[in-house]
Amino acid sequence: QAQQVESGGGLVHPGGSLRLSCTAPGFNSNNCEMAWYRQTTENQKRERVSSIRPGGRTTYADSVKGRFTISKDTKDTVYLQMDSLLPDDTALYFCKTETISGFCLRYYEWGQGTQVTVSS
């Protein structure tokens, strides 16, 4: 059972912003790489949106580069700042670890996600 908790989703107009949060206690101190994924209703395929490594290096899908920013605080939370949102960004957003070992495995399962809907 997933132990991370996603929040911050909602309904926003095109061009608007949202900040998603993922609470995963201990991921920082245990050097877990964390990532955000999204899943649309249409094809049910999960797309990796962004990731952040323990050292802070980040990656982004081409579809969100320049619009989304991943970050983390010094404690338990990973954020996804989403700006200039498009209707195509509408999806259920998940966070999970990319580190498949040890402590980090508690964040490997898919959680409940948080719904983002971009619509006028």
Side-chain angles (χ1 to χ4, degrees):
Q1 184 176 354
Q3 297 189 29
Q4 68 278 20
V5 178
E6 303 97 339
S7 63
L11 173 63
V12 63
H13 293 307
S17 299
L18 280 175
R19 188 175 81 158
L20 306 184
S21 300
C22 172
T23 301
F27 84 89
N28 253 327
S29 57
N30 287 277
N31 297 315
C32 305
E33 178 179 0
M34 299 296 289
W36 283 97
Y37 287 77
R38 64 187 180 186
Q39 178 179 359
T40 62
T41 302
E42 290 77 19
N43 60 23
Q44 299 293 308
K45 182 179 178 180
R46 288 179 177 137
E47 171 194 17
R48 193 171 87 162
V49 173
S50 182
S51 67
I52 186 164
R53 293 182 180 177
R57 183 176 178 181
T58 58
T59 68
Y60 296 94
D62 287 344
S63 57
V64 306
K65 278 181 182 176
R67 301 188 298 119
F68 290 12
T69 304
I70 191 171
S71 64
K72 58 182 178 175
D73 63 19
T74 57
K75 294 183 178 179
D76 303 328
T77 307
V78 181
Y79 302 98
L80 186 68
Q81 177 67 41
M82 306 187 297
D83 299 315
S84 303
L85 281 161
L86 305 169
D88 283 351
D89 295 319
T90 295
L92 187 60
Y93 284 73
F94 302 88
C95 77
K96 66 190 298 286
T97 188
E98 301 288 81
T99 305
I100 312 174
S101 65
F103 177 93
C104 305
L105 282 172
R106 67 191 61 197
Y107 303 128
Y108 187 66
E109 298 296 326
W110 296 101
Q112 296 296 310
T114 185
Q115 178 67 38
V116 172
T117 302
V118 184
S119 175
S120 55

